[in-house]
Amino acid sequence: QGAELPIALVYALSPLILFTLVRAIERMTLRYWVLFILVYSLGVCIEVRIMYIVTFMLCAYMLVFFPWQRLGRKMLLGLVTIMGLGMLLNCFWVLPTFLGGATSTIAQIT
């Protein structure tokens, strides 16, 4: 009765997610990386399964177009900080799922 709506919303957000990633790679400022991680986390909160596909596509894009030769200590520290922020933004559902015993309940249901 509406399970397709979150999937369609994440598919609609995926060009915005890719755009914010491209903008963050081009500008290499904290502002654009935070914007990217906020939009990405919004997609994860809406529909995790479709974000697996989007994440695969973003990783492929990063492998091809990320300026690895410019990767310095400051940029590496910024990327680690942004990934940590992304994990913190998703702690509200990740921690209860893995530490609260929900995985056994999910396994019983499936």
Side-chain angles (χ1 to χ4, degrees), residues 41-57:
S41 293
L42 177 67
V44 169
C45 290
I46 295 171
E47 181 65 44
V48 176
R49 299 171 296 172
I50 303 304
M51 285 305 291
Y52 286 138
I53 299 169
V54 173
T55 302
F56 176 74
M57 300 308 282

Side-chain angles (χ1 to χ4, degrees), residues 9-23 35-36 38-40 42 54 58:
L9 182 59
V10 172
Y11 274 136
L13 276 178
S14 61
L16 180 64
I17 295 169
L18 180 64
F19 175 74
T20 57
L21 176 68
V22 170
R23 186 60 60 116
L35 181 64
F36 163 71
L38 288 175
V39 174
Y40 182 82
L42 177 67
V54 173
L58 293 177

